Structures are given as C-alpha cells and as structure tokens.
Amino acid sequence: MSDTVAIRPPAAAIDEQSPRERLLMAAASLFRSKGYDRTTVRDIANEVGILSGSIFHHFRNKDEILRAVMADCVDTLLINMDKALASAQTPEQRLRAMIRCELESILGEQGNALTVLVFEWRALSEESKTSLLASRSQYEQLWHHELQLAEDAGLVKESIDPLILRRFLGGALYWTTHWYQSDGDYNIDQLTEQAMALVMK
Amino acid sequence: MSDTVAIRPPAAAIDEQSPRERLLMAAASLFRSKGYDRTTVRDIANEVGILSGSIFHHFRNKDEILRAVMADCVDTLLINMDKALASAQTPEQRLRAMIRCELESILGEQGNALTVLVFEWRALSEESKTSLLASRSQYEQLWHHELQLAEDAGLVKESIDPLILRRFLGGALYWTTHWYQSDGDYNIDQLTEQAMALVMK
Amino acid sequence: MSDTVAIRPPAAAIDEQSPRERLLMAAASLFRSKGYDRTTVRDIANEVGILSGSIFHHFRNKDEILRAVMADCVDTLLINMDKALASAQTPEQRLRAMIRCELESILGEQGNALTVLVFEWRALSEESKTSLLASRSQYEQLWHHELQLAEDAGLVKESIDPLILRRFLGGALYWTTHWYQSDGDYNIDQLTEQAMALVMK
Amino acid sequence: MSDTVAIRPPAAAIDEQSPRERLLMAAASLFRSKGYDRTTVRDIANEVGILSGSIFHHFRNKDEILRAVMADCVDTLLINMDKALASAQTPEQRLRAMIRCELESILGEQGNALTVLVFEWRALSEESKTSLLASRSQYEQLWHHELQLAEDAGLVKESIDPLILRRFLGGALYWTTHWYQSDGDYNIDQLTEQAMALVMK
DNA sequence: TATGAATGAGCCTTCATTCAT
DNA sequence: GATGAATGAAGGCTCATTCAT
C-alpha cells in the first residue's frame, strides 16, 4: 500500500546498451514509479537524453513500449526460472528455487519490469494483451505444475487447492514490491525462507 | 494478472441514494475497472446521468473523488472489522473473522472501493495521501496486533515474523480481486478457510 | 501602473442599504480590484452574504450589474458636478471645483465605481455601452464647455486645444486611482492645486 | 473612455518573423483590444494560423505570453528612450525627446504592447509582476531623473512636485491610447508639442 | 536516426445562468 | 426573494503522434 521507489539499473551498464534497451529500462522505471498513464513519452525520452519524437523510430507507439517491457520481462522470467530449476533436485529445492527466482525478479534488477507486468496489465491494448498471453500462461503453468508436484510430495498442506495456493503465493510475492526495502531486516534469501515457511506444511 | 470486471451494486439500491453516494459508487466502479487516470470526469457523470460540470458541485476536483472513495472505504473497513471481532472469542475465531471480513470487503459490495484503495494509492495527491494515512495505519495496526496475539497463542507458525506474515497475507488477499470469480469453485467462506490453512500452523 | 486596493465603503452604512445597493457596492469593489472578467457572480454574492443564484432576482445578468454600477456612477457624477459648480463663480473657481469634484469621485467613496466606469468600459456589452453613452458624453461636454470658458477667460494656456486639454487632464486624473494613497504626502485639496497648476497658465 | 482598435503591424513584415514574434504581436493586439481575460489562447493561435495546442511549444502558459509581451515592451522602451536622449542636449530638448518617445511608443507600432503593459498589469501572475518590476521601475526612475533636471533648469512649473508631475503626465500620455486617432487633427509631433505646453512653465 | 514544431483530440475545471422547491 | 443543484459552453493545458528537415 505504500509508495515505492523504482529500481535503477547499475549506472555502469547504461552506456553499453542499445537505444532500444535504454528506452525500455527507462520506461520500466517510469511506468513502475508513476504508472503507465502518468508517464509521458517525453518523460521516457528525457530519461535517455533524446527528444520525444525520436522515440517513434524505435517503437510504433506508447503501447508498444509497454508491451516490449512486459514481453522482455516474461521472456527473462522464463529463462531465469529454467536456470533456477536446472540445478534443483528435490521438490523442496525446486519450490525454494522458484520462490527465490520470483522474489529476485520482483526485488532485483528486473523489478521495475515485473512490477509493471503485474500491476499495469490493464493499461495494455487488447492486441498487446493477446500477444503476451501465451508466455504469461506458460509461466503460470510452470508454477501450477511444480506446486502440484510439491503437493504430491507431501511438501505443502494438502488442505489447500494448488491453484489457490499459487494465487495466494503470487499475490504475496508480487505485493513485496510495495513494501520491501533492501536495507531492511530481511535479505532476499531470508524472505525466501519466510515464504517457504508460509506454503510448506 | 487477469482483467476483472468491476463489481456493480445491486441495481435496486441505486435510486435511493444521494447524488454524492451515487457518484462515489460510480467512481469506485470506474476507477477499479479502468484505473483512475483513464477514468474521465465525464465517464463518472455519465454513469449517474448528470453532466460533467455538475460533479464539481459535489467534489472540488477529481482527486477529491478518489480521496472520498478511499476514505469511505477505510471507515467502513474499520467498522466492519470491529463488528466482526465483536463476536469472536478465541484467537482462531478472531483470525478467521478478520480474514473473512477482509475477503468480504474485497470481493463483496465494497470491492470496487477497496481495490481502488489498494491499487490506486499512487494516483492520490500528496495532500490526500496525508489525510488518509491515519485511518489506513490504524487498520494495519489492528492486523499486526491480532496476528501477534495469534502467534502468542501458538496459532500460526512462529518461524514467520508476524509483520511479514501480515504483508504476505495482505498481498494474497488483495490479489484475489484480480482472479476471484463469485461463480467459481469457491465461495467466500471456503476461500476464508483456504487462507486460514495458509497462515495456520 | 501599480496595483491598487479597492476602496471599501464605511462599514456603518452597509446594513442600512437595500440588497441592490449592497450588491452594487460589492460589485464595484470587486470589479475594481480584480477586474470585471475575473470577478465571478459568486464572488459578489459571497460579499453580501447571499448565494449566487439569488443575484439574478436583482439583475438579469452579469452585464447588467456592470451597467448599473456605471450608470449610478455617471448619474452621481453629474449631480455632484452640478452641486460643485452651483457655488462657484469665477472661471478659476469653476475649474477648481470641477477638478476637485472629479478627484473626490475618483479617490473617495465613489472611487470603485468610477474606476470601473473608466477602466472596464471595454467589458460592457454593446447594448450597455449604447445605453450609457448619453450620460457619459453629457459629462464630457460639461468639461469641454467649462474648459472653453476657462480658455476664453485667459485662464489656461491658449496654445493647448481645449479638447486635447480635457483628455490630458482626464487621463492625468483618472490615473491617480492607480497611485494615489490617502495617507501619503497630499490630500485631495493639495492634489487639486497641483492639477490646477498643471492646466493653468 | 472610448473603445479603440488595436494597432496592426505593417502586413508586409509579418511573414518574416519568427513564430514567437508573430505570437507576441498577435497576443499584444488581442490583449489590447479584448483584454487579457477575454482573449483565449485559441484566439491568439487563430490569429497566427496555428492550432491552440501549438502555442505551448513557445510559451509555458498564457501568463507567460503576457509577461513576454510586457518584457519585450519595457526593454524596447528603455532602448528607445536611450536613443532618443542620446541626441538631445538642452533640458527642453531632452524633455521633448522623452515625451515624443513615449507618445510614439503608445501610438505607434509598440502601442499594443505598451497599452497592455500599462492597463493589463493586474492580469499578471504575482511571479511575473516580480520579474518585470526591475525594468519598469528603471523606466520610471529615468523619468523622475529627467523631470528633476527640467525643474532645476526652470523649465517646468516649480509649483508642481516632479513626482506628481510625472504621474500626471504619464496618465495623460497613456490615456491617449484610448482616444487618439492617427488620421485626426494632430500628428504625433503636434501632440508632443501640446504635451510640452502642458508641462512647461 | 534525430530533431522539434505542429497537430488535434481530449481532459479537468470554471462559471453565468436556470429553475423547481 | 432565496436556495442550491444542475446545466452546458468554453477555457487553459496536455500529450501521443506526425513529418519535413
């Protein structure tokens, strides 16, 4: 429920990026902190040091910027999830890996984009929603699949429907973006353990 | 992550309300479904059958409408919470009462306003934020207090920090607004039990 | 060129007046200090303690208020001028009487209305202009007539066309409304003498 | 007291100017003839053949247009005054030069802007007033200084306080904007002589 | 590719005026 | 005569988008 400060990427990396990437990072940061509607194309252009008209050489319109932010985000999310699961064996390890991966995405460098993906979905045009739906449901299905395995392994409470559990857990984790402070009492590992404690038997 | 349809109040009640109340209900519904920024003052006026200029007889500006939606919502929330707790004795009953009360607020008639309160906080002017802060933190402190009692009673897992637990739980419950369907497999009582299973030992 | 504070009537007299008169005084004061366009009907109503809708029981529209302020002002001006001239014999006495009368009108209780008459003429509707033109030119002709007599009497420099002289003098006197301070170095009598010195040989 | 038609610049020159200059000329003309408050941003845009939104490419808001009109005007005024005084030797020549310069400013191409500067001061925002005050008082001090010299030289009546004299004269000259007709009986030189006759012994 | 002036639709807000009570 | 809710036409300003340079 609190205002949050958008995450800035490490300054060192900015100069090495393509204009498109710099625009997307600036957009993600602004969309997250001000919201899509309140962020003007000019804001984004300013942030990367070009004029507003020039943005339309990179994106057809503002909606496409939002879509690109989200699309890149889901793609990265899937890749990271794959990586995280690759080295996890037991059901518990796999569940922990997924939670940590999602938390790292929300609270780390990807945080702006993922927060935007989660909380600005409504701002997307219908077409863009359609075009993103496949990847997003792929990601959710990954969760459902793994949570089902966890339940089968007797890891989580069987009194909770795995579908509901995923939604509860998703809400809980997404919500961290609104209150988590990296200089607070918990680092991401510790927060992961708290979330594990929540879902595990 | 999915689009949701804003909750409409029972049509029967609409005609009996004051203009101000009808405006607030229309505003809550629109703010929830389209977002504050995308909702125009004309939209709201149309919804209640007046012209846009007339709105400013009831509210000084658009921000004040948002603030009123939220303020009424927090007030009702506190009242409902009090009522819910009045008839609850044991720690478990009290915890269940609070969860059910919050879920009913999110998914029932108050749902539009509460969803707006939670997810459009950023759209508020700074002054309005300040003016609402007291009630909002009063509500949160109620939660912290009761969760602490629940932990003392050995009801919830002591491995989770009650402050973190409230935030996880809040996120999980708020998030229901984005996926819950009243004609689905779970009614509010059943969902309450699922949430209870989540937080209890 | 400077901002001026509108003159307030003696508070004692306010209660004895008819609503219409109170409205006109409030209007004159506001029109003078804020300008006609920036003064809202609500402002005027507030000033006399009624609601804006009630004003239209006294005046058909805002333009009619302005016209009434001006019409009353010209009428009073003509009456005062007559009075002032009644007791003046010699050309010099008559000229002094007129200058003092005009200055008293500008800087005294009538000041708001007269300032409005002079500097808000443009804000009048065309019809209102027409309806006021007769009295106004009567007033100006009075000046031209007397200045002609003064020139015939060798009182003012014959190198100045009396028509031009009236306009110079009018401008000079009207302008006092923008700089004169009643608590400054000159009272109205002294200012009259300064103006006399200006126009006399 | 009469309506006046705003001065239009020679049509030949219009096309050669920058958009900003054309906007300022149009604004000066409209502000003078209709008043600042009655002039809409759309009016100004129409006059120069652009759309209303485009104005805000050149000026942040309407107030800034007014300020720019006035600021340019004072600057030009000071420059012209300097030029006029540069070739004037005797006190009488200097006084005549200043009067002619002010009259030319009021009744010539600068007339719209100067009339606006004098009669629309009240419409300025407080910040704009502050930002213009320095130049304006510099201009007035120039007058006070020269009038003092004129009095020391025995040129003007010593019975009039030079400060009052400047105000009388300023009012008289500013006022010409409301009655002077360039095709009437007096050209600017002749009017200058009439004004000289007014102030000189 | 970048620029930056221009577009034009649309937004929030104001305000004189009306009218049923 | 007063009220006050409603009207509806503007008004100032914003902003995504276009396009000639």
Side-chain angles (χ1 to χ4, degrees):
Chain A
M1 270 195 194
S2 63
D3 284 1
T4 50
V5 179
I7 299 168
R8 296 295 215 92
I14 287 188
D15 299 328
E16 310 158 11
Q17 295 162 336
S18 73
R20 185 193 147 90
E21 276 169 337
R22 295 171 59 203
L23 282 169
L24 287 182
M25 296 195 64
S29 165
L30 288 164
F31 289 164
R32 183 249 187 87
S33 59
K34 309 175 54 171
Y36 175 79
D37 289 307
R38 279 180 136 83
T39 301
T40 72
V41 161
R42 221 178 222 92
D43 289 335
I44 304 173
N46 274 345
E47 200 78 1
V48 302
I50 61 175
L51 290 187
S52 69
S54 310
I55 279 200
F56 297 90
H57 288 286
H58 302 277
F59 301 95
R60 253 197 315 254
N61 50 43
K62 195 184 169 189
D63 175 64
E64 210 178 64
I65 304 177
L66 180 58
R67 185 202 324 207
V69 166
M70 292 180 170
D72 286 8
C73 181
V74 194
D75 291 349
T76 309
L77 212 49
L78 284 166
I79 291 170
N80 287 346
M81 220 34 131
D82 270 357
K83 278 190 212 157
L85 288 174
S87 55
Q89 308 299 332
T90 69
E92 184 176 339
Q93 284 173 339
R94 294 179 73 82
L95 186 55
R96 178 175 286 109
M98 289 185 77
I99 288 179
R100 183 188 291 112
C101 180
E102 191 158 84
L103 275 175
E104 275 170 352
S105 301
I106 293 170
L107 305 175
E109 289 184 22
Q110 271 235 92
N112 291 336
L114 183 46
T115 302
V116 167
L117 173 62
V118 171
F119 293 101
E120 295 285 345
W121 184 256
R122 186 179 50 192
L124 272 182
S125 73
E126 288 308 313
E127 320 157 56
S128 296
K129 279 180 196 159
T130 313
S131 92
L132 285 179
L133 224 46
S135 315
R136 279 190 52 228
S137 54
Q138 187 183 344
Y139 179 74
E140 285 305 314
Q141 271 162 17
L142 186 58
W143 267 103
H144 289 144
H145 178 67
E146 291 291 336
L147 275 179
Q148 190 64 59
L149 294 183
E151 178 158 330
D152 295 345
L155 200 62
V156 302
K157 299 166 186 154
E158 55 278 343
S159 56
I160 308 186
D161 178 346
L163 277 120
I164 301 290
L165 182 56
R166 164 55 190 155
R167 282 163 169 165
F168 280 165
L169 179 59
L173 298 185
Y174 296 151
W175 192 246
T176 58
T177 199
H178 285 120
W179 59 265
Y180 181 76
Q181 315 221 8
S182 55
D183 57 353
D185 290 340
Y186 294 85
N187 62 27
I188 292 186
D189 276 341
Q190 292 165 321
L191 206 54
T192 301
E193 292 315 312
Q194 297 272 301
M196 282 296 281
L198 184 72
V199 296
M200 278 176 34
K201 220 180 247 177
Chain B
M1 269 198 195
S2 63
D3 281 2
T4 50
V5 180
I7 299 168
R8 295 296 215 90
I14 286 187
D15 298 329
E16 311 158 12
Q17 294 161 337
S18 73
R20 185 178 195 277
E21 276 169 338
R22 295 171 58 200
L23 283 169
L24 287 183
M25 296 195 65
S29 165
L30 288 163
F31 290 165
R32 185 248 187 91
S33 59
K34 310 176 55 172
Y36 175 80
D37 288 309
R38 278 181 135 83
T39 301
T40 72
V41 157
R42 269 179 185 79
D43 290 336
I44 305 174
N46 275 344
E47 198 80 3
V48 302
I50 61 175
L51 290 191
S52 69
S54 310
I55 282 200
F56 297 92
H57 244 279
H58 303 279
F59 301 95
R60 257 197 308 259
N61 50 44
K62 197 184 169 189
D63 173 65
E64 209 178 65
I65 304 178
L66 180 58
R67 183 199 328 203
V69 166
M70 293 181 170
D72 285 8
C73 181
V74 194
D75 290 348
T76 310
L77 213 48
L78 284 167
I79 290 170
N80 288 346
M81 219 35 131
D82 269 356
K83 278 191 211 155
L85 286 174
S87 54
Q89 307 300 332
T90 69
E92 183 175 339
Q93 285 173 338
R94 295 179 72 84
L95 186 54
R96 178 174 286 109
M98 289 184 76
I99 289 179
R100 182 186 293 113
C101 181
E102 190 158 85
L103 274 174
E104 275 169 353
S105 300
I106 294 170
L107 304 174
E109 290 184 20
Q110 270 235 92
N112 290 337
L114 184 47
T115 302
V116 167
L117 173 62
V118 172
F119 294 101
E120 295 286 344
W121 184 256
R122 185 179 51 193
L124 271 183
S125 72
E126 288 309 313
E127 318 158 56
S128 295
K129 278 181 196 160
T130 313
S131 90
L132 286 179
L133 224 47
S135 315
R136 276 191 54 229
S137 57
Q138 187 183 345
Y139 179 73
E140 285 306 313
Q141 272 162 15
L142 186 58
W143 268 104
H144 289 143
H145 178 67
E146 292 290 334
L147 276 179
Q148 189 63 59
L149 295 184
E151 179 161 329
D152 295 346
L155 201 62
V156 302
K157 298 168 186 154
E158 53 280 340
S159 57
I160 308 187
D161 178 345
L163 277 116
I164 302 288
L165 182 56
R166 164 56 191 157
R167 281 160 171 168
F168 279 166
L169 178 58
L173 299 185
Y174 296 150
W175 191 246
T176 58
T177 201
H178 286 119
W179 59 264
Y180 180 76
Q181 313 222 8
S182 55
D183 56 354
D185 291 339
Y186 293 86
N187 62 27
I188 291 187
D189 275 341
Q190 293 165 323
L191 206 54
T192 302
E193 291 315 312
Q194 297 274 301
M196 282 294 283
L198 183 73
V199 295
M200 280 177 31
K201 224 180 238 176
Chain C
M1 269 199 194
S2 62
D3 283 0
T4 50
V5 179
I7 299 167
R8 295 296 214 91
I14 286 186
D15 298 328
E16 311 158 13
Q17 294 161 338
S18 72
R20 185 193 149 91
E21 275 170 337
R22 294 171 59 201
L23 282 169
L24 288 181
M25 295 195 65
S29 166
L30 288 164
F31 290 164
R32 185 247 187 90
S33 59
K34 309 175 53 172
Y36 174 80
D37 289 308
R38 279 180 137 85
T39 301
T40 72
V41 161
R42 223 179 220 88
D43 289 337
I44 305 174
N46 273 346
E47 199 80 2
V48 302
I50 61 175
L51 291 188
S52 69
S54 310
I55 279 199
F56 296 91
H57 288 287
H58 302 278
F59 300 95
R60 255 197 314 252
N61 50 44
K62 195 183 169 189
D63 174 66
E64 209 178 66
I65 304 178
L66 180 58
R67 185 203 321 206
V69 165
M70 292 180 170
D72 286 8
C73 180
V74 194
D75 290 348
T76 310
L77 213 49
L78 284 166
I79 291 171
N80 288 346
M81 218 37 129
D82 269 356
K83 278 191 211 154
L85 286 174
S87 55
Q89 307 301 333
T90 69
E92 183 175 338
Q93 284 173 338
R94 294 178 72 80
L95 185 55
R96 178 175 287 108
M98 289 185 76
I99 288 179
R100 182 187 292 114
C101 179
E102 191 157 83
L103 275 175
E104 275 168 352
S105 300
I106 294 171
L107 305 175
E109 290 183 20
Q110 272 237 90
N112 290 336
L114 184 47
T115 302
V116 167
L117 173 63
V118 170
F119 293 102
E120 296 286 345
W121 183 256
R122 185 178 52 190
L124 271 181
S125 72
E126 288 308 314
E127 320 157 55
S128 295
K129 278 180 197 159
T130 313
S131 91
L132 284 179
L133 223 48
S135 316
R136 277 191 52 228
S137 56
Q138 186 183 345
Y139 179 75
E140 284 307 313
Q141 271 161 18
L142 185 60
W143 267 103
H144 289 143
H145 177 68
E146 291 292 335
L147 276 178
Q148 190 63 56
L149 294 183
E151 177 159 333
D152 295 345
L155 200 62
V156 302
K157 296 167 186 155
E158 55 279 341
S159 56
I160 308 186
D161 178 346
L163 276 118
I164 302 289
L165 182 56
R166 165 53 192 157
R167 282 161 167 167
F168 279 166
L169 179 60
L173 298 185
Y174 295 150
W175 191 245
T176 57
T177 200
H178 285 120
W179 59 264
Y180 181 76
Q181 315 221 10
S182 56
D183 56 355
D185 290 339
Y186 294 86
N187 62 28
I188 292 188
D189 276 340
Q190 291 164 323
L191 205 55
T192 302
E193 291 315 311
Q194 296 272 302
M196 283 295 283
L198 182 73
V199 296
M200 281 178 29
K201 219 179 245 177
Chain D
M1 272 198 196
S2 63
D3 283 0
T4 49
V5 179
I7 299 168
R8 296 295 217 88
I14 286 186
D15 298 330
E16 311 159 11
Q17 294 162 339
S18 73
R20 186 178 194 277
E21 276 169 337
R22 293 171 59 200
L23 282 169
L24 287 182
M25 296 196 64
S29 165
L30 287 164
F31 289 165
R32 184 248 186 89
S33 59
K34 309 177 55 171
Y36 175 80
D37 289 307
R38 280 183 133 83
T39 301
T40 73
V41 156
R42 278 175 181 81
D43 289 336
I44 304 175
N46 273 345
E47 198 79 4
V48 302
I50 62 176
L51 290 191
S52 69
S54 309
I55 281 199
F56 298 92
H57 244 278
H58 303 279
F59 300 95
R60 256 198 308 260
N61 50 44
K62 197 183 168 190
D63 175 64
E64 209 178 66
I65 304 178
L66 180 57
R67 184 198 331 204
V69 166
M70 291 181 170
D72 286 6
C73 180
V74 193
D75 290 348
T76 311
L77 212 50
L78 283 166
I79 292 170
N80 288 346
M81 219 35 132
D82 269 356
K83 278 191 211 155
L85 286 174
S87 54
Q89 307 299 334
T90 69
E92 183 174 341
Q93 284 174 337
R94 295 178 71 83
L95 185 55
R96 178 175 285 108
M98 289 184 75
I99 289 179
R100 182 187 291 113
C101 180
E102 189 157 85
L103 275 174
E104 275 169 352
S105 300
I106 294 170
L107 305 175
E109 289 184 20
Q110 272 235 89
N112 291 336
L114 184 46
T115 302
V116 168
L117 173 62
V118 172
F119 293 102
E120 296 285 345
W121 184 256
R122 185 180 50 192
L124 271 182
S125 72
E126 288 308 314
E127 319 157 56
S128 295
K129 279 181 197 160
T130 311
S131 91
L132 286 179
L133 223 48
S135 314
R136 278 190 54 228
S137 57
Q138 187 183 346
Y139 178 74
E140 284 306 313
Q141 271 162 15
L142 186 59
W143 267 103
H144 289 144
H145 178 67
E146 291 291 335
L147 276 179
Q148 189 63 58
L149 294 182
E151 178 160 329
D152 295 345
L155 200 63
V156 303
K157 298 164 186 157
E158 56 278 342
S159 57
I160 308 186
D161 178 346
L163 277 120
I164 302 289
L165 182 56
R166 165 54 191 156
R167 283 162 167 166
F168 279 165
L169 178 60
L173 297 185
Y174 296 150
W175 191 245
T176 58
T177 200
H178 285 120
W179 58 264
Y180 181 77
Q181 315 224 4
S182 56
D183 56 354
D185 291 339
Y186 293 86
N187 61 28
I188 291 186
D189 275 342
Q190 292 164 323
L191 205 55
T192 302
E193 292 315 312
Q194 297 272 301
M196 282 295 282
L198 183 72
V199 297
M200 280 176 34
K201 220 179 243 177

